[in-house]
């Protein structure tokens, strides 16, 4: 089933929109000019890219690390004498304990484990915990971090719309590579790449190639193209191809989902078509809701989704900062997940996320980066701390949210939302080995007191000593292992410089 159900592909629909917009002379000032130019430019090249991408075999280099990463083997390790926060209710906290890892899986957790032949990692002064998990991040935009300015012409939505149209597939990939490198460095082992700059299948391929090269765990949310546009479906016809080419060979590291414009920007018919296609394939579905009370549609989104039978535990809604009526009860009752990104919600004026209300109603929560264009970085420790502080601030109580609850949301909460709680989110034997070790001897971490509070309130990415993903050690001794960081940064800089220069040149005339 294609696009709008009338035989046009998603890309044809994009083209039509581009043409319409150009004809209608959408030419706002500043980056608006760039938008019109970018899309006209795009028309010439993207059709060929889109068609060619579907069949072209990957170059050999891309099948390895693509020159960006040399992934180490999985091997066998034993982490010795850590303070282990398992985040598993049955296992609890295990001071002075070991974690035995073999072939990417956690074999055992406990004191004095017998693990002959396993490479030992001394963690005497460290806290071991499951890798952090976020659930909504427009990773392509990382190549344009901090470019949203301070007036409406340069604001996030006009900027992201304009820049998205200028980006080429390789620019998307550069954003994703930089994002993943920063994520691993920060102890963020799983992300939801909420990919909403897919101009053609080549853009999805470029991002997925970056995921494969970096050995990171992700839900790839196949989205759309063009921010703040209306009535465009996800190109669901491309999903089976992506599944075969990228998801199945990923050894369980990648899962697939869709990211819809949702009822605030699409008709309910389009939503139904998208949901049906995703549900047939068992995919996660995500959309933004409730970011502005002034917009009538934002008041109705959850009600409409519920009445159409489109909510449920395979759905991740994002933001809902302006929740209305009985929406929170509806989310709780249907088991619909919610992803909160407190820093961008505050920065962009979506409002103050009513954390307390969500917790009270029993809405299953998870946390997200959203975009570094606004958030500036992907520090999940800070995001988790912001959640806790918002909950207590709203309640005007020191005791509304315990640190352990916030940490639970940043680990198991994320794993449940992404549908991978059977594999990650806690240090439980049998699960995959996504483990981080946080130093407790750094100035901002000392003295050693209460580990959940230390992690949520004191820790930052610089305290992350070791990161293991699927049993591969990707950060050790505070340094990334096997990544060409200089190249990743250099290329992201090239994109940022080119994109900004192009936009400025166009806006001048
Ligand atoms: Zn978003």
């Amino acid at each position: 089933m294609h696009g709008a159900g009338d035989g046009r592909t998603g890309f044809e629909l994009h083209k039509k929109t581009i043409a319409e917009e150009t004809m209608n002379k959408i030419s706002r000032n500043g980056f608006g000019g760039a938008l019109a130019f970018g899309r006209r430019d795009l028309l010439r090249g993207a059709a060929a890219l889109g068609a060619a991408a579907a069949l072209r075999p990957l170059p050999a280099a891309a099948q390895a690390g693509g020159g960006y990463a040399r992934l180490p083997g999985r091997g066998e390790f034993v982490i010795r004498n850590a303070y282990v926060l398992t985040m598993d209710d049955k296992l609890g906290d295990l001071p002075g304990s070991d974690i035995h890892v073999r072939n990417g899986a956690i074999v055992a957790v406990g004191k004095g484990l017998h693990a002959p032949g396993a490479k030992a990692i001394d963690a005497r002064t460290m806290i071991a915990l499951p890798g952090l998990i976020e659930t909504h991040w427009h990773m392509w935009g990382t190549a344009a971090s901090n470019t949203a300015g301070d007036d409406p012409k340069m604001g996030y939505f006009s900027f992201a719309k304009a820049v998205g149209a200028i980006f080429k597939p390789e620019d998307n990939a550069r954003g994703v590579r930089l994002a993943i490198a920063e994520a691993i460095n920060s102890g963020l082992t799983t992300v939801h790449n909420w990919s909403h700059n897919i101009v053609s299948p080549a853009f999805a391929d470029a991002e997925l190639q970056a995921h494969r090269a970096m050995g990171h765990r992700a839900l790839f949310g196949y989205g759309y193209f063009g921010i703040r546009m209306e009535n465009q479906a996800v190109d669901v016809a491309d999903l089976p191809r992506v599944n075969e080419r990228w998801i199945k060979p990923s050894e369980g590291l990648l899962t697939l989902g869709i990211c819809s414009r949702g009822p605030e920007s699409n008709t309910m018919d389009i939503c139904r078509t998208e949901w049906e296609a995703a549900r047939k394939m068992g995919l996660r579905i995500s959309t933004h809701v409730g970011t502005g009370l002034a917009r009538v549609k934002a008041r109705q989104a959850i009600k409409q989704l519920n009445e159409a039978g489109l909510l449920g535990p395979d759905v991740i809604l994002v933001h809902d900062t302006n929740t209305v009526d009985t929406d929170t009860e509806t989310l709780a009752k249907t088991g619909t997940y919610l992803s909160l990104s407190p820093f961008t919600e505050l920065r962009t004026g979506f409002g103050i996320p009513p954390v307390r209300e969500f917790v009270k109603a029993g809405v299953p929560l998870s946390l997200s980066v959203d975009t570094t264009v606004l958030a500036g970085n992907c520090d999940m420790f800070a995001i988790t701390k912001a959640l806790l502080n918002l909950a207590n601030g709203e309640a005007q109580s020191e005791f509304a949210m315990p640190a352990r609850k916030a940490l639970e949301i940043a680990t198991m909460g994320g794993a449940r939302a992404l549908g991978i709680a059977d594999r990650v989110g806690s240090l439980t034997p049998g699960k995959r080995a996504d483990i981080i070790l946080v130093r407790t001897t750094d100035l901002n971490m000392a003295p050693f007191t209460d580990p959940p509070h230390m992690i949520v309130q004191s820790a930052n990415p610089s305290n992350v000593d070791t990161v293991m993903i699927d049993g591969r050690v990707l950060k050790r001794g505070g340094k990334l292992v096997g990544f060409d960081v200089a190249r990743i940064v250099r290329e992201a800089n090239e994109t940022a410089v080119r994109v900004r220069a192009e936009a400025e040149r166009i806006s001048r005339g």
Side-chain angles (χ1 to χ4, degrees):
M1 190 81 182
H2 288 278
D6 60 1
R8 290 175 296 170
T9 64
F11 183 65
E12 282 164 346
L13 285 169
H14 293 320
K15 278 203 297 188
K16 184 167 178 293
T17 307
I18 293 160
E20 277 169 4
E21 290 202 2
T22 308
M23 281 165 63
N24 291 338
K25 298 187 192 306
I26 292 178
S27 56
R28 289 187 210 131
N29 295 327
F31 284 108
L35 172 65
F37 177 88
R39 291 209 175 119
R40 276 201 303 274
D41 201 33
L42 211 72
L43 270 172
R44 290 195 284 273
L49 276 172
L55 297 171
R56 197 174 51 234
L58 277 179
Q63 289 178 8
Y68 296 95
R70 271 176 203 283
L71 297 181
R74 288 187 170 84
E76 186 175 2
F77 300 94
V78 61
I79 295 166
R80 292 281 185 207
N81 296 310
Y83 190 103
V84 183
L85 289 172
T86 67
M87 303 312 289
D88 177 316
D89 290 343
K90 285 185 193 137
L91 297 174
D93 296 355
L94 304 169
S97 290
D98 305 342
I99 308 167
H100 185 192
V101 172
R102 194 194 300 126
N103 294 330
I106 297 171
V107 179
V109 183
K111 277 191 197 297
L113 294 180
H114 184 64
K119 192 173 176 212
I121 295 173
D122 181 3
R124 232 172 313 176
T125 56
M126 299 187 203
I127 297 169
L129 70 153
L132 305 173
I133 300 175
E134 77 83 54
T135 59
H136 147 246
W137 185 359
H138 312 296
M139 299 179 94
W140 65 274
T142 305
S145 290
N146 292 312
T147 48
D150 298 321
D151 63 70
K153 282 186 203 169
M154 289 288 286
Y156 174 69
F157 288 103
S158 29
F159 184 83
K161 197 171 177 181
V163 166
I166 294 168
F167 263 49
K168 296 180 171 65
E170 172 58 16
D171 298 311
N172 280 41
R174 289 173 173 186
V176 172
R177 283 184 212 113
L178 181 63
I180 293 176
E182 194 201 342
I184 296 171
N185 191 53
S186 307
L188 184 48
T189 54
T190 304
V191 294
H192 177 192
N193 181 356
W194 219 104
S195 182
H196 69 351
N197 196 49
I198 302 189
V199 183
S200 70
F203 284 73
D205 287 346
E207 293 198 6
L208 282 155
Q209 190 166 305
H211 279 288
R212 176 190 282 187
M214 309 281 281
H216 199 223
R217 195 179 301 282
L219 168 64
F220 182 77
Y222 197 114
Y224 43 87
F225 160 61
I227 290 164
R228 289 267 161 113
M229 296 210 284
E230 297 203 329
N231 296 330
Q232 289 177 326
V234 170
D235 185 1
V236 294
D238 196 33
L239 297 173
R241 180 192 71 83
V242 166
N243 200 35
E244 289 298 319
R245 182 172 179 183
W246 299 106
I247 308 302
K248 282 190 184 168
S250 76
E251 301 175 307
L253 280 169
L254 299 177
T255 42
L256 184 61
I258 68 160
C259 295
S260 167
R261 289 175 196 279
E264 293 182 25
S265 302
N266 276 349
T267 65
M268 285 311 291
D269 277 348
I270 294 178
C271 292
R272 278 190 206 92
T273 306
E274 290 176 331
W275 259 249
E276 193 186 325
R279 283 182 169 168
K280 246 184 219 164
M281 291 177 70
L283 309 183
R284 278 288 189 270
I285 303 159
S286 188
T287 190
H288 298 110
V289 293
T291 54
L293 262 188
R295 294 159 63 220
V296 173
K297 282 184 157 188
R299 300 181 73 106
Q300 299 169 338
I302 290 175
K303 191 164 174 271
Q304 284 180 307
L305 287 170
N306 189 37
E307 284 169 4
L310 300 184
L311 294 178
D314 55 352
V315 176
I316 309 164
L317 299 183
V318 178
H319 301 313
D320 197 26
T321 38
N322 294 286
T323 195
V324 290
D325 305 326
T326 55
D327 282 356
T328 50
E329 289 84 54
T330 302
L331 295 182
K333 207 160 68 187
T334 54
T336 304
Y337 293 99
L338 190 60
S339 177
L340 300 176
S341 58
F343 284 119
T344 65
E345 284 152 2
L346 292 167
R347 165 69 171 79
T348 198
F350 284 165
I352 296 170
V355 179
R356 189 174 160 235
E357 202 177 326
F358 294 135
V359 171
K360 218 167 115 192
V363 178
L365 294 181
S366 62
L367 289 169
S368 54
V369 173
D370 189 356
T371 172
T372 59
V373 176
L374 292 163
N377 64 35
C378 69
D379 181 348
M380 264 296 273
F381 298 104
I383 293 169
T384 310
K385 179 170 165 174
L387 177 87
L388 185 156
N389 290 356
L390 280 165
N392 286 6
E394 286 160 8
Q396 301 198 16
S397 161
E398 185 187 339
F399 310 108
M401 182 179 285
R404 191 180 294 275
K405 170 73 180 170
L407 191 54
E408 212 264 340
I409 290 169
T411 52
M412 279 305 293
R416 289 190 198 104
L418 302 185
I420 53 174
D422 59 332
R423 269 178 277 164
V424 292
S426 65
L427 301 182
T428 307
K431 284 195 179 183
R432 302 307 290 172
D434 289 10
I435 305 167
I436 64 173
L437 301 179
V438 179
R439 282 192 299 269
T440 63
T441 48
D442 293 350
L443 287 172
N444 64 304
M445 291 295 288
F448 191 99
T449 50
D450 177 60
H453 282 93
M454 290 167 75
I455 294 295
V456 174
Q457 298 188 153
S458 298
N460 68 48
S462 78
N463 309 123
V464 177
D465 181 271
T466 301
V467 175
M468 192 184 280
I469 299 178
D470 213 50
R472 288 190 177 112
V473 176
L474 300 181
K475 186 180 184 187
R476 185 80 187 103
K479 291 217 159 41
L480 289 175
V481 177
F483 293 101
D484 190 343
V485 175
R487 182 179 173 194
I488 291 167
V489 169
R490 187 179 67 239
E491 291 183 352
N493 269 324
E494 281 168 16
T495 284
V497 167
R498 180 180 64 75
V499 163
R500 295 191 87 186
E502 197 171 332
E504 277 177 23
R505 180 174 57 78
I506 295 156
S507 66
R508 274 200 301 270

